[in-house]
Amino acid sequence: MDMEFSPEDLAFQQEVRDFIAENYPAELRGKQDEGDELTKEDFLSWHRILYKKGWVAPAWPVEYGGTGWTPTQRFIFSEETARADCIRLMPFGLAMVGPVIYTFGTPEQKARFLPRILSGDDWWCQGYSEPGAGSDLASLRTTAVRDGDDYIVNGQKTWTTMAQHADWGFFLVRTDKDAKQQEGISFLLIDMKSPGITVRPIITLGGEHEVNEVFLEDVRVPVSQRVYEENKGWTCAKFLLAHERTGIAGVASSKRGVERVKQIARTELDGDKPLLANPFFKRKLAELEIDLTALEFTELRGLAGPNAGKGPGPESSLLKIKGSEIQQRLTELTLEAVGHYGAPYFRGFGEGDNAHPIGPDYAHRAAPTYFNMRKTTIYGGSNEIQRNIIAKMVLGL
Ligand SMILES: Cc1cc2nc3c(=O)[nH]c(=O)nc-3n(C[C@H](O)[C@H](O)[C@H](O)COP(=O)(O)OP(=O)(O)OC[C@H]3O[C@@H](n4cnc5c(N)ncnc54)[C@H](O)[C@@H]3O)c2cc1C
């Protein structure tokens, strides 16, 4: 594999660096540095800047608003945005339902929804999981019953990320109770302001409001908001999950995370020497960096290999497993590096708390982030499930 960037790629890299330096919102940078909780507007500010530049959806086909970049340019872009610690764009519209709509949607659905996903005018959430249906997603029980030109939807979804901000949600619902599990499911786009929808917060270990329960009681949804055929929603669901898993590897942001841990370990002392000089800490950091480099090469091989451009395959499960484990190990090392200064923040600081922060700024987010990142091996299909996929689809066991 040729690892050298061409002169054109290097020029592109510089263009991206310059653009970020000149356009990344200073206020957002300040909040990130302080570890403040980010609002919907914070998330959207960078999204809108990229949209104006035409860079918000590099993976989309050009006809729907993509950039037409080569896989290498896309790699450079994600590398540079992570290196500059730019906020990650919300994936639910851009990386999940958008590709489903341009692949399976009607011309009307494409015209109605895609431009607003690109512009950030619609915030989306994902209504897949239910209290009794996570790994075994096909056993979901939320129903949609035909009533003229509408479906009447009843049921409960859970772990719905950022549903508190959502204008729209994409939901998996059961439209045929008698069919075999996967064959009775449809994919609906639901306006989150519809009467009958209640969103209730779930506060996570790190003290954050990120996930929710969503209750649907007699929610009326026009049939025109069903994507693809009735009872064929599983096809869209599977397509979307593979997209979800590739983004999850997070190589570029983990590389940035390694630099951050190194910086902390240079500052924190172990006796009278920097922590970075401690052989045990150094070994753990080196092992992590080696694994991360291996993951990066695996991702690059996918970009350069014979299947490049064909969309993610079962190997995305591998990226998900290794990527999520590395993200967790990074937060463990950070917590270890900040030591006792992490302890006051074990429960997170809630809104209205007036306690004075102690310790260096980088210590404040260490514990909440450590707890928050436990999610990475669960969401997007748990790592045990990914191992099952690799066993079956890659190793043929
Ligand atoms: C922070 C966070 C955000 C999320 N956001 C969303 C969202 O926006 N929208 C959405 O729809 N869902 C979301 N999810 C839900 C997520 O997809 C599920 O939590 C996940 O699929 C696991 O399902 P479960 O929680 O029901 O656990 P279960 O399926 O009950 O699994 C429990 C344990 O058993 C293991 N297990 C289950 N089956 C097997 C098997 N066959 N072989 C081996 N091990 C097995 C699992 O790996 C896990 O360790 C989110 C979850 C989290 C934690």
Side-chain angles (χ1 to χ4, degrees):
M1 183 170 51
D2 182 5
M3 289 299 298
E4 293 291 320
F5 287 141
S6 67
E8 293 77 27
D9 287 334
L10 288 172
F12 175 74
Q13 185 183 49
Q14 193 56 49
E15 187 188 351
V16 175
R17 280 186 189 170
D18 292 345
F19 181 78
I20 296 170
E22 284 159 26
N23 294 283
Y24 197 74
E27 197 184 328
L28 182 58
R29 170 79 64 222
K31 280 187 155 185
Q32 284 173 266
D33 291 347
E34 289 294 315
D36 291 349
E37 205 162 324
L38 301 179
T39 63
K40 179 176 182 176
E41 275 315 305
D42 290 329
F43 280 110
L44 284 174
S45 59
W46 181 228
H47 180 123
R48 292 204 174 105
I49 289 166
L50 288 175
Y51 168 65
K52 252 174 89 183
K53 175 77 177 163
W55 285 0
V56 81
W60 287 27
V62 175
E63 58 178 310
Y64 298 120
T67 51
W69 290 339
T70 62
T72 309
Q73 285 178 309
R74 276 164 51 188
F75 174 78
I76 289 173
F77 182 73
S78 77
E79 185 88 352
E80 291 305 317
T81 46
R83 205 179 60 89
D85 209 12
C86 300
I87 197 171
R88 238 188 110 200
L89 300 184
M90 279 291 135
F92 303 105
L94 290 170
M96 296 188 191
V97 76
V100 168
I101 294 174
Y102 65 63
T103 307
F104 299 99
T106 62
E108 294 74 28
Q109 288 168 343
K110 291 178 193 175
R112 178 174 178 191
F113 294 109
L114 296 180
R116 293 178 63 86
I117 291 174
L118 291 172
S119 65
D121 286 338
D122 286 338
W123 179 293
W124 284 81
C125 67
Q126 176 186 28
Y128 274 29
S129 307
E130 298 183 3
S135 304
D136 184 16
L137 186 59
S139 66
L140 62 91
R141 290 193 307 208
T142 295
T143 55
V145 178
R146 261 312 258 273
D147 180 33
D149 289 339
D150 293 336
Y151 289 107
I152 309 292
V153 181
N154 278 287
Q156 182 195 342
K157 296 290 174 179
T158 192
W159 308 120
T160 325
T161 302
M162 298 285 173
Q164 72 269 32
H165 299 318
D167 304 294
W168 285 85
F170 51 94
F171 286 78
L172 291 181
V173 295
R174 187 158 298 289
T175 33
D176 184 350
K177 281 186 186 167
D178 301 324
K180 271 202 279 174
Q181 276 194 336
Q182 276 97 333
E183 287 162 21
I185 290 172
S186 297
F187 190 101
L188 293 187
L189 310 178
I190 303 185
D191 183 342
M192 292 298 285
K193 287 181 286 300
S194 310
I197 294 189
T198 310
V199 177
R200 275 198 215 143
I202 300 174
I203 303 301
T204 51
L205 272 174
E208 289 131 340
H209 177 195
E210 194 175 295
V211 284
N212 301 273
E213 295 177 293
V214 176
F215 297 87
L216 303 109
E217 281 174 81
D218 292 330
V219 179
R220 210 162 251 284
V221 181
V223 173
S224 60
Q225 286 168 210
R226 188 193 69 228
V227 179
Y228 204 44
E229 293 167 43
E230 189 171 79
N231 298 326
K232 294 274 183 342
W234 195 248
T235 306
C236 305
K238 276 194 308 188
F239 170 86
L240 184 147
L241 283 174
H243 274 260
E244 181 178 356
R245 269 166 218 146
T246 345
I248 260 166
V251 170
S253 74
S254 287
K255 279 168 84 177
R256 162 92 185 145
V258 166
E259 290 314 311
R260 210 179 287 128
V261 177
K262 278 188 188 164
Q263 189 53 41
I264 295 173
R266 270 188 213 109
T267 316
E268 291 296 314
L269 293 180
D270 172 39
D272 56 357
K273 291 205 186 87
L275 177 61
L276 199 55
N278 175 312
F280 297 106
F281 191 86
K282 222 158 71 175
R283 198 187 67 200
K284 278 191 259 185
L285 193 58
E287 282 170 356
L288 183 89
E289 254 190 299
I290 291 165
D291 281 354
L292 182 54
T293 308
L295 179 66
E296 184 181 13
F297 274 70
T298 308
E299 197 176 40
L300 284 168
R301 250 197 326 267
L303 285 174
N307 290 327
K310 288 194 187 150
E315 61 277 14
S316 61
S317 295
L318 200 122
L319 298 178
K320 200 264 161 166
I321 294 174
K322 290 308 286 183
S324 56
E325 288 175 353
I326 287 171
Q327 286 162 25
Q328 290 189 342
R329 281 161 64 194
L330 261 173
T331 66
E332 285 156 23
L333 275 184
T334 309
L335 196 58
E336 189 179 328
V338 304
H340 297 308
Y341 284 125
Y345 307 98
F346 264 35
R347 305 276 311 268
F349 269 162
E351 219 174 291
D353 279 344
N354 62 357
H356 284 293
I358 62 155
D361 285 351
Y362 53 71
H364 306 163
R365 293 296 306 160
T369 306
Y370 167 84
F371 287 121
N372 186 286
M373 294 307 270
R374 300 305 96 192
K375 69 190 176 188
T376 61
T377 44
I378 303 171
Y379 67 21
S382 74
N383 283 17
E384 289 79 10
I385 296 298
Q386 303 311 317
R387 287 193 172 90
N388 286 347
I389 294 174
I390 291 173
K392 216 167 134 191
M393 310 288 288
V394 181
L395 303 175
L397 298 174

